[in-house]
Amino acid sequence: MRRIYADHNATTPLAPDALAAMLPYFANHYGNASSVHLEGRDARAAVDSARVRLAGLLGAQEGEIVFTGGGTESDNTAIFGVPPGHVITSSTEHHAVLHACQRRSDATFLPVGADGAVDPDELRRAIRPDTRLVSIMSANNETGTVQPIRELAAICRERGVLFHTDAVQSFGKVPVQVNQWGVDLLSIAAHKFYGPKGVGALYIRRGTRLQPLLYGGSHENERRAGTENCPGIVGMVKAAEIAAAKMEAEGARLFQLTERLATGIEQTIPGSHRNGHPRLRVPNTVNFSFEGCTFEGLLLGLDLEGIAVSSGSACAVGSLEPSHVLIAMGVSRELARAAVRFSLGRANTDADVEEILAAVTKVVKRLRTFS
Ligand SMILES: *Cc1c(COP(=O)(O)O)cnc(C)c1O
């Protein structure tokens, strides 16, 4: 059966050119980037070049880029790297930020509005003299809603507080420029933009004091110990360049496809509720709740119809808890338990959207006759 993959916020397929760029670094160029011999220097040159190119894409300097083992590690490095004291985050963060902040001794979780956005005035009120870090994601993985990052970062700068953003769902989808946003720390993860899994980066503004999460060798300028994942880094940066080249056209195309899907759902399925901001969102994501359904029923039913979607966060699979993101936005428990995220990507077409629409209509109808 033909499959339609509509879960790109969980992960994306590896871009063929990114795979091609990686292969030599698994095979011939297997050196350790810290070794002084020719094999090591080869790997070092690849990692250094990747760093310069990624810095260029972010509008950063090469010395400000630290390669990590993915989005979770980048987020944890930022959150645990600041001194003891108060941290502020939002209640709709990815668990990589939310659970890390819960491990700190003193954390404030800002509420969000019905559209999922943080109110800058709430942030102003929450900052205290002992606040060490504010961490607010730039785009939400479940709803796609984007936050007013420039405004939030400016408040922090004015108050002398470090500002981190989890840009894992933004990078590759919308322009991400560290100086335009005015952030001090920023996380990305390769596998969310058609790069390999298990590799990411943390931007650390020059002059920012941050304790490492991992201790060992002096890799990454003593910011992150451990032999560099040379093939992964090469693949990530190749994927980042491809995403940057495609971003404008692909963003416009995906926004149209998701709007078509959203309009179709609203017009053909009564009792459907759109979650998240309808316009201030990344172009590939829409989220809907369907009255009288559960996400297990929706996910399994759509999977049988050949369509891969998610209830929101992939990490929530196996847990019957409703999405913390939707609950924080004031969605009822019942509707939060009936939510589906559609996150489209490069391979999706108009025909896919029509098929998704037909399948959702069918599955919702079937679930409602059972319930
Ligand atoms: C996927 C994701 C992460 C985690 O990244 P990994 O590379 O899977 O560890 C963090 N934040 C957001 C918003 C994500 O979507």
Side-chain angles (χ1 to χ4, degrees):
M1 187 206 244
R2 189 170 99 85
R3 297 282 305 173
I4 297 176
Y5 185 75
D7 199 15
H8 292 80
N9 288 9
T11 197
T12 54
L14 188 60
D17 285 349
L19 174 62
M22 294 170 76
L23 289 177
Y25 295 94
F26 285 116
N28 297 334
H29 301 287
Y30 50 78
N32 182 324
S34 301
S35 304
V36 295
H37 43 59
L38 179 67
E39 288 81 353
R41 294 199 307 274
D42 263 3
R44 170 57 53 201
V47 170
D48 284 349
S49 151
R51 197 186 312 278
V52 170
R53 285 148 54 209
L54 182 59
L57 290 173
L58 287 167
Q61 299 167 19
E62 58 178 301
E64 297 176 313
I65 303 296
V66 172
F67 293 121
T68 68
T72 301
E73 187 191 314
S74 296
D75 287 343
N76 275 257
T77 303
I79 291 157
F80 292 116
V82 298
H86 179 231
V87 297
I88 299 172
T89 189
S90 84
S91 39
T92 59
E93 297 294 311
H94 188 275
H95 285 145
V97 167
L98 207 60
H99 290 169
C101 287
Q102 283 165 356
R103 296 287 299 177
R104 298 227 12 150
S105 56
D106 190 4
T108 297
F109 299 87
L110 295 178
V112 297
D115 58 5
V118 169
D119 177 355
D121 286 330
E122 295 273 3
L123 174 61
R124 271 193 199 93
R125 279 195 289 274
I127 293 176
R128 312 190 312 220
D130 66 334
T131 303
R132 304 290 183 220
L133 179 77
V134 173
S135 179
I136 310 280
M137 71 199 320
S138 44
N140 186 270
N141 45 300
E142 297 189 23
T143 60
T145 299
V146 300
Q147 298 291 350
I149 290 299
R150 286 170 78 141
E151 201 177 345
L152 301 173
I155 292 167
C156 291
R157 172 136 329 157
E158 203 183 292
R159 305 282 290 270
V161 177
L162 288 177
F163 184 81
H164 166 250
T165 190
D166 174 336
V168 171
Q169 291 294 346
S170 306
F171 187 80
K173 295 185 180 126
V174 295
V176 174
Q177 290 285 310
V178 291
N179 290 320
Q180 270 174 26
W181 280 0
V183 300
D184 302 299
L185 299 152
L186 178 143
S187 302
I188 66 170
H191 75 108
K192 302 293 176 73
F193 55 90
Y194 304 85
K197 292 168 183 61
V199 59
L202 178 65
Y203 159 79
I204 307 177
R205 182 174 293 282
R206 193 172 163 173
T208 304
R209 296 249 289 274
L210 202 70
Q211 292 278 339
L213 193 62
L214 302 179
Y215 290 88
S218 57
H219 312 86
E220 296 296 292
N221 226 347
E222 313 218 321
R223 295 237 195 227
R224 196 272 188 182
T227 300
E228 288 88 348
N229 174 0
C230 186
I233 290 166
V234 167
M236 168 167 69
V237 174
K238 184 69 191 171
E241 289 172 338
I242 298 167
K246 287 183 185 289
M247 186 180 314
E248 211 176 304
E250 193 57 7
R253 193 184 74 88
L254 289 172
F255 192 83
Q256 273 193 339
L257 285 186
T258 46
E259 277 306 306
R260 165 80 198 100
L261 179 61
T263 315
I265 289 173
E266 279 160 352
Q267 285 173 356
T268 54
I269 307 178
S272 57
H273 302 265
R274 187 166 179 174
N275 299 311
H277 201 291
R279 280 174 301 101
L280 300 179
R281 61 177 180 91
V282 285
N284 79 318
T285 312
V286 285
N287 186 308
F288 271 91
S289 293
F290 299 96
E291 285 173 20
C293 299
T294 63
F295 64 68
E296 302 94 304
L298 291 159
L299 258 56
L300 291 176
L302 288 169
D303 192 35
L304 288 175
E305 297 292 323
I307 294 164
V309 294
S310 156
S311 59
S313 110
C315 321
V317 168
S319 97
L320 298 180
E321 279 302 297
S323 148
H324 69 281
V325 173
L326 299 181
I327 294 293
M329 289 162 57
V331 175
S332 70
R333 277 185 78 81
E334 204 178 330
L335 281 179
R337 290 271 288 98
V340 175
R341 169 185 76 190
F342 304 91
S343 51
L344 303 185
R346 270 177 210 164
N348 293 125
T349 60
D350 286 307
D352 288 358
V353 167
E354 296 312 316
E355 279 189 50
I356 294 171
L357 203 49
V360 175
T361 308
K362 181 172 159 188
V363 170
V364 167
K365 200 173 280 173
R366 194 191 309 141
L367 291 172
R368 284 179 181 165
T369 37
F370 287 147
S371 73

